[in-house]
Amino acid sequence: QVQLQESGPGLVKPSQTLALTCTVSGGSISSGSHYWNWIRQPAGRGLEWIGHFYTSGSTSYNPSLKGRVTMSADTSKNQFSLRLTSVTAADTAVYYCAVGAFFDAWGRGALVTVSS
Amino acid sequence: DIEMTQSPDSLAVSLGERATIHCKSSQSVLSNSANKSYLAWYQHKPGQPPNLLIYWASTRESGVPDRFSGSGSGTDFTLTISSLQAEDVALYYCHQYYRTPWTFGQGTKVEIK
């Protein structure tokens, strides 16, 4: 069973870059055909798909984030990463990494607060 | 984007009674070639990540109790909890993975009456 764990700073200043890493265990991010996703949930609101990194190396991002998102992978560490630039308070949320087209395994989530 | 609309926003059901949640997509999420609807359901409890219940609209994830069932095709879908248990109190979300950006419904809160 694949397990995922998010890591990264819990506090980011406005206008700076949010950077999170998802470490995968129990499976390789470079084998098979899988979508490696980032999803977020602002407090009191619903779930928003941020984007995914596919095993082949292709990516797909939610246009709502207006080009601020970049995802990448480090196969040597079995990790994939999220970078979100020019953050504002609206980007404060719990950020999850998850695998699959339907998300059958999730990390526990990482709260990221954008505040000066 | 494919908009997902759930109804109701919340419902209260007595223990042992049936709970029914509806999800409607603004476009069909049925693949004619695959003959599958790209629709999933999740249960989300506070402090935990969402938990996959149903995928392909009606396939129950391994380990999910059989009181949870999914139905529907195309644009209209239903999640049914046949006999509500105390541990089923949660938010429930539908999710389409037919076309990016993948989108979720706004969530339905299920409580005990």
Side-chain angles (χ1 to χ4, degrees):
Chain A
Q1 176 73 2
V2 171
Q3 295 184 316
L4 303 95
Q5 177 66 59
E6 304 87 353
S7 59
L11 181 64
V12 181
K13 288 182 167 51
S15 79
Q16 295 193 341
T17 297
L18 179 159
L20 293 172
T21 296
C22 183
T23 300
V24 178
S25 57
S28 170
I29 65 169
S30 57
S31 65
S33 301
H34 299 293
Y35 296 99
W36 302 96
N37 302 273
W38 288 98
I39 296 152
R40 69 181 182 179
Q41 183 174 35
R45 298 184 61 185
L47 298 164
E48 179 183 32
W49 176 77
I50 300 170
H52 65 228
F53 177 94
Y54 191 56
T55 309
S56 65
S58 65
T59 54
S60 179
Y61 305 138
N62 195 325
S64 68
L65 293 161
K66 297 181 174 61
R68 298 190 292 130
V69 179
T70 305
M71 295 180 185
S72 60
D74 184 337
T75 55
S76 68
K77 295 181 179 179
N78 216 33
Q79 296 175 333
F80 62 105
S81 299
L82 167 70
R83 286 175 57 85
L84 181 65
T85 61
S86 305
V87 297
T88 69
D91 295 309
T92 294
V94 175
Y95 286 76
Y96 297 99
C97 54
V99 63
F102 43 86
F103 313 125
D104 55 1
W106 297 66
R108 295 188 61 82
L111 173 62
V112 179
T113 301
V114 178
S115 175
S116 55
Chain B
D1 298 6
I2 298 178
E3 184 175 353
M4 308 299 290
T5 303
Q6 291 180 228
S7 61
D9 289 333
S10 65
L11 76 161
V13 175
S14 300
L15 287 172
E17 295 299 306
R18 179 184 302 262
T20 303
I21 302 169
H22 301 280
C23 175
K24 187 174 183 67
S25 57
S26 61
Q27 305 171 33
S28 175
V29 298
L30 171 65
S31 166
N32 290 320
S33 59
N35 195 29
K36 291 181 176 181
S37 287
Y38 285 52
L39 189 286
W41 289 96
Y42 303 86
Q43 177 190 66
H44 195 189
K45 297 180 179 180
Q48 300 180 20
N51 182 48
L52 176 68
L53 298 174
I54 303 286
Y55 56 96
W56 301 129
S58 60
T59 301
R60 193 180 304 112
E61 171 73 335
S62 175
V64 172
D66 61 7
R67 64 181 180 272
F68 291 92
S69 64
S71 63
S73 180
T75 61
D76 292 279
F77 303 91
T78 301
L79 174 70
T80 300
I81 310 172
S82 61
S83 176
L84 191 74
Q85 304 300 303
E87 61 264 33
D88 300 335
V89 170
L91 273 165
Y92 292 84
Y93 293 93
C94 61
H95 156 228
Q96 69 80 18
Y97 48 99
Y98 181 71
R99 180 173 295 134
T100 58
W102 294 342
T103 47
F104 293 89
Q106 80 277 16
T108 295
K109 186 175 184 180
V110 173
E111 300 174 304
I112 304 295
K113 185 185 291 182

